[in-house]
Amino acid sequence: MKITDIKVIVCSPGRNFTTVKIMTDEGVYGIGDGTVNGRELSVVSYIQDHIAPTLIGKDPLRTEDIWQFLYKGAYWRRGPITMAAIAAIDVALWDIKAKVAGMPLYQLLGGKSRDKVMVYKHVGGIDIPEVVDGVQKMREQGLDAIRAQVSIPGLPPIYGTGPSTDQAAGGMIKPVVAEEVWATHKYMPLVPRLFEALRDAVGWDVHLLHDVHHRLTPIEAARLGKDLEPYRLFWLEDAVPAELQEGFRIIRQHTTQPLAVGEIFNSVYDTTTLIQEQLIDYIRVTAVHAGGVTGIKKIFDFASIYHVKSACHGPMDMSPICMGANVHVDTAINNFGIQEFTGYTKETYDVFKCDWRYDRGYLYPNETPGHGTDFDEELAARYPYQAAYLPVARLEDGSMTSW
Ligand code: EZ4
Ligand code: CO
């Protein structure tokens, strides 16, 4: 079996997605996701100009060797663009392999370790009563795990804290770089009040999560973790920027609040201190940003040795292809924790046909061969790329800050 062609298509059915399609001499094809939000076209060039010419004629079933060929062979290792390009190829190759085997992808990863994949969805609001209301509604829709964010009084609503966070990844992305304002001292006392109100309203049966979005320092995160302990969150996400893995030592010394991080990580080397020192509880890498099925399997297997569970990143800027691949990994591995899932717009579901399915708080893999997402190229052509960027964050004095 041989790879005969590799196409890269960017479409924008509500938001931009970078998609790879790999054709073979036997007519079987595979689909992969290479979307890096706000940097979509750089992945196109990486694959089209630099990867595709080197893979034509290769055996598509050699997923591990091709992964190593692209990772070791490029000399320039790691980084989000490289690893998203490798991921797109890798996921498309696993799709081909599973189709050739006539099996759903999870069978090739060890078979089912569970019957269903627990997801969490997002609720945001302008004030605490609005968030409480949103969480109650989501409970009624069957969710057993819910992420709650609230706007900060005195600051305009910002990404991830404002209303309708479900749409945030699409709705708030602008063709210009939006400038947002952040003030830690206004945020810190508010979050425990939010979760106190939530526990009063929805009780203790539901998993509640919160995303700090890399906005604190380690000692601030330690304080927040302590303040949130009475409300027993499922996790505190991205408490600090994590290039400095040692920062988590400080948080860990001070709080029993479970910690999650990793949505912008792209290799196991981003995690070694965090995982080996058991400084985190959930590792949030996702197929598209951490080298595909091959990449995240390596990371989750490493994590399993240190009591760290998986929690694939999954807002709507990962295409349904990445989500489907995640669901198969989630189903197969033993140390699954949770899967983030915001869902997609109707336009996105029209372009990306999904055999895997969502039902009342849980995801289920397809039983059809492959990873279960197909791509309608003709329809995609009707939604051309649209320049769009994530916002940036500044402190009230105008200086740039992490987010
Ligand atoms: O901001 O994927 O947990 N989810 C998140 C996401 C990220 C986006 C950035 O592109 O924090 O919404
Ligand atoms: Co996040």
Side-chain angles (χ1 to χ4, degrees):
M1 199 169 185
K2 283 187 167 53
I3 296 173
T4 52
D5 194 14
I6 299 178
K7 285 199 232 177
V8 193
I9 303 124
V10 179
C11 62
S12 193
R15 57 168 315 109
N16 291 317
F17 295 111
T18 305
T19 303
V20 161
K21 187 169 184 180
I22 301 185
M23 269 67 68
T24 67
D25 57 347
E26 293 182 21
V28 183
Y29 64 88
I31 302 289
D33 178 23
T35 308
V36 178
N37 199 0
R39 297 291 185 269
E40 296 87 359
L41 301 183
S42 51
V43 183
V44 178
S45 169
Y46 196 108
I47 298 173
Q48 217 160 253
D49 300 328
H50 305 297
I51 289 183
T54 70
L55 292 187
I56 305 300
K58 282 200 159 40
D59 178 355
L61 301 183
R62 295 179 63 171
T63 42
E64 179 67 23
D65 185 66
I66 289 177
W67 195 93
Q68 299 290 349
F69 173 82
L70 296 173
Y71 182 82
K72 293 185 169 136
Y75 189 69
W76 311 104
R77 298 184 185 197
R78 306 162 63 191
I81 305 305
T82 298
M83 297 310 287
I86 294 176
I89 299 291
D90 181 78
V91 168
L93 294 180
W94 276 103
D95 193 24
I96 291 171
K97 194 200 292 282
K99 286 174 178 171
V100 169
M103 289 180 183
L105 174 57
Y106 69 78
Q107 291 290 12
L108 279 57
L109 305 174
K112 274 192 184 176
S113 282
R114 59 190 45 75
D115 302 322
K116 54 183 186 174
V117 169
M118 181 168 72
V119 311
Y120 71 94
K121 289 197 172 211
H122 302 176
V123 171
I126 204 76
D127 55 21
I128 290 174
E130 192 180 308
V131 182
V132 170
D133 188 51
V135 168
Q136 278 169 328
K137 288 203 173 100
M138 217 159 248
R139 271 303 264 163
E140 287 158 20
Q141 292 163 23
L143 270 294
D144 284 331
I146 300 162
R147 189 190 88 168
Q149 312 288 130
V150 68
S151 290
I152 302 163
L155 292 181
I158 61 168
Y159 186 94
T161 68
S164 47
T165 311
D166 234 340
Q167 297 301 320
M172 292 180 77
I173 285 179
K174 306 257 168 61
V176 291
V177 180
E179 306 252 343
E180 299 186 335
V181 185
W182 179 253
T184 294
H185 68 291
K186 296 179 182 172
Y187 163 81
M188 291 276 281
L190 183 67
V191 186
R193 281 174 36 221
L194 168 65
F195 285 92
E196 183 182 23
L198 282 171
R199 283 299 182 207
D200 283 348
V202 296
W204 299 86
D205 278 356
V206 57
H207 299 301
L208 297 175
L209 299 74
H210 182 70
D211 188 355
V212 180
H213 229 289
H214 311 111
R215 286 171 170 127
L216 300 180
T217 65
I219 201 67
E220 290 163 351
R223 165 93 265 161
L224 183 63
K226 277 175 102 158
D227 290 349
L228 286 172
E229 276 176 26
Y231 314 112
R232 303 197 178 203
L233 268 57
F234 186 88
W235 77 36
L236 193 62
E237 171 180 335
D238 292 348
V240 297
E243 300 97 311
L244 185 72
Q245 296 181 46
E246 296 88 328
F248 278 77
R249 289 182 189 142
I250 295 170
I251 311 173
R252 205 57 152 178
Q253 276 161 19
H254 294 286
T255 179
T256 56
Q257 170 58 61
L259 302 170
V261 74
E263 66 182 51
I264 66 169
F265 292 0
N266 48 71
S267 93
V268 72
Y269 300 105
D270 297 322
T271 72
T272 43
T273 301
L274 291 171
I275 290 177
Q276 280 176 294
E277 294 186 23
Q278 301 175 64
L279 302 178
I280 56 170
D281 303 279
Y282 297 91
I283 179 69
R284 300 193 57 259
V285 290
T286 197
V288 55
H289 297 141
V293 169
T294 301
I296 62 173
K297 265 285 281 172
K298 289 181 197 304
I299 297 169
F300 293 154
D301 287 346
F302 173 61
S304 73
I305 302 167
Y306 298 94
H307 306 289
V308 176
K309 291 186 176 180
S310 78
C312 291
H313 190 208
M316 59 172 65
D317 53 291
M318 267 111 270
S319 93
I321 303 168
C322 170
M323 185 58 60
N326 287 346
V327 173
H328 284 268
V329 174
D330 297 338
T331 299
I333 62 174
N334 174 258
N335 60 323
F336 167 76
I338 199 166
Q339 170 68 57
E340 186 181 27
F341 181 67
T342 55
Y344 295 95
T345 64
K346 186 191 173 296
E347 290 76 16
T348 301
Y349 279 126
D350 287 344
V351 171
F352 297 88
K353 307 270 179 229
C354 302
D355 275 349
W356 51 267
R357 69 193 171 83
Y358 170 79
D359 184 40
R360 292 187 66 80
Y362 290 82
L363 282 161
Y364 300 85
N366 49 289
E367 296 299 334
T368 51
H371 59 39
T373 307
D374 208 347
F375 180 65
D376 186 336
E377 268 182 82
E378 266 176 44
L379 187 57
R382 284 200 240 149
Y383 298 102
Y385 168 75
Q386 290 183 302
Y389 300 98
L390 283 160
V392 296
R394 293 187 187 274
L395 300 180
E396 288 173 295
D397 71 358
S399 54
M400 287 292 305
T401 188
S402 303
W403 80 285

